[in-house]
Amino acid sequence: MRIETIYRYPVKGLTAEALEEVTLSSGEPLPHDRRFALAQGDAPFDPAAPAWLPKRNFACLMVNARLTLAHTAFDARTGELVIRLPGMSPFVGNTRTPEGRAAIATLLTGFLGEEARGAPRFVESPGHTFSDVSKKVVSIIGLSSLHALEQAAGASLDPLRFRANVYVSGGAPWAEFDLVGREILLGQARLRVVKRIVRCPATEVNPLTGQRDADPPRWLREHFGHAELGVYAEVLEGGRISVGDSLQVTDPVD
C-alpha cells in the first residue's frame, strides 16, 4: 500500500489541512490534529483536568453539518487561526490568548446559530486530543475500500467525508481490517493497528456543500454487513511519513 494523502484537522469538525509530510511521535496523534474544539455550553469539559468526552459535547459534523462551510487555516508557529465564513471577511484569532479564544468562540457560536447550546467555549488543553476515541491514534483509510463502497452504492464519495489522517492506495478492499492487532511500518514510523472505525452520520455531509446528500453508514450495513471504514493505529515508534511512502506489515501472520 502507498500513502496518497495526509491530513490534519486542527479544530474538531472544521477544515482538513493537507500535508506533504509530517513527523509522528510515539504515543501521539499527528501534530496539531484535533488540538482545538468548540465545546458546547453544556459540555462538562474542564481544560485544567481534561478527560475524553463523546463528540456531541463539541461542535461536530455529526450534528452541525454547516461547519463544513466554515473554512479555517491554523498557523502552528504563530498560533493564529484564520476563519472564513460565507459572506464575511476573513477573521484572524489568536488561539494563545484568552481574548483570542473568546473571539473565536463568539464568531463560531454566531455561525452555529440555534445549534449552539448555552455559551460555547473554544478550548485547548496541552497534551489532550479531541478525538472521537479516547486513545491517541492515527486514522487510516484504504482507498480500495472506499471505492468498493462507491461501486456498491452507485455514488461518488469525497474521501474527506471520512476525515482520516492517512489515505492509502493499493491492496484489496477491506484489507486494512486484516491489520487490526498487527504492527505496520508507515513511512519511517512504526504503528500498531488497534481497531476498525465505525462510521457515524458525519459522513452524510458533503464537505463542499454542507448538505446531507449521502448515507455511508446505511450503505455499508446494507452492502457489507457492517458500518466500518478505515482503522485506528497507535504510534509505537515515531518517524517521518510522506506522500508516496509505503505501508508495510512488519509482523508475521500467526
Side-chain angles (χ1 to χ4, degrees):
M1 296 183 183
R2 175 186 183 275
I3 297 176
E4 295 295 334
T5 50
I6 304 170
Y7 294 97
R8 69 180 186 187
Y9 307 82
V11 183
K12 184 177 184 67
L14 293 178
T15 305
E17 297 183 356
L19 305 170
E20 287 296 316
E21 63 178 38
V22 66
T23 298
L24 302 181
S25 297
S26 176
E28 296 295 329
L30 264 70
H32 311 296
D33 189 50
R34 277 83 171 184
R35 174 175 168 179
F36 306 100
L38 184 70
Q40 293 281 14
D42 56 3
F45 182 76
D46 182 359
W52 181 85
L53 292 172
K55 67 178 73 176
R56 284 185 178 273
N57 288 278
F58 308 97
C60 63
L61 290 175
M62 183 175 73
V63 179
N64 315 114
R66 69 193 325 254
L67 285 177
T68 60
L69 304 179
H71 299 287
T72 59
F74 176 63
D75 188 334
R77 295 170 300 175
T78 65
E80 291 183 339
L81 181 69
V82 179
I83 304 175
R84 296 176 175 85
L85 301 180
M88 296 179 60
S89 299
F91 166 89
V92 180
N94 188 338
T95 64
R96 295 177 179 172
T97 68
E99 297 80 9
R101 292 190 294 272
I104 294 169
T106 297
L107 184 72
L108 293 176
T109 297
F111 184 64
L112 286 180
E114 294 181 355
E115 294 178 2
R117 306 195 304 268
R121 299 164 292 147
F122 187 77
V123 291
E124 173 194 16
S125 186
H128 182 76
T129 303
F130 295 97
S131 173
D132 287 348
V133 294
S134 58
K135 292 183 177 182
K136 293 183 177 181
V137 290
V138 174
S139 55
I140 304 170
I141 284 180
L143 290 172
S144 293
S145 302
L146 175 57
H147 297 330
L149 174 59
E150 290 179 310
Q151 184 173 13
S156 178
L157 297 170
D158 188 328
L160 286 179
R161 285 180 186 263
F162 302 91
R163 298 180 67 80
N165 295 127
V166 179
Y167 293 84
V168 297
S169 61
W174 320 113
E176 61 269 33
F177 288 176
D178 296 331
L179 301 178
V180 174
R182 305 186 67 186
E183 293 184 10
I184 61 173
L185 191 65
L186 188 66
Q188 298 175 354
R190 187 166 62 89
L191 300 87
R192 178 182 293 114
V193 180
V194 294
K195 65 179 297 185
R196 302 181 184 186
I197 303 175
V198 178
R199 291 302 165 182
C200 75
T203 60
E204 298 170 359
V205 181
N206 187 315
L208 296 179
T209 68
Q211 300 298 310
R212 294 189 184 275
D213 60 4
D215 197 348
R218 178 172 62 84
W219 295 341
L220 285 165
R221 290 191 297 269
E222 288 180 352
H223 297 289
F224 301 101
H226 59 76
E228 300 158 333
L229 182 68
V231 293
Y232 289 123
E234 295 178 311
V235 180
L236 302 178
E237 294 180 5
R240 187 181 66 186
I241 66 172
S242 306
V243 171
D245 284 350
S246 63
L247 183 160
Q248 304 175 51
V249 180
T250 59
D251 62 338
V253 177
D254 293 336

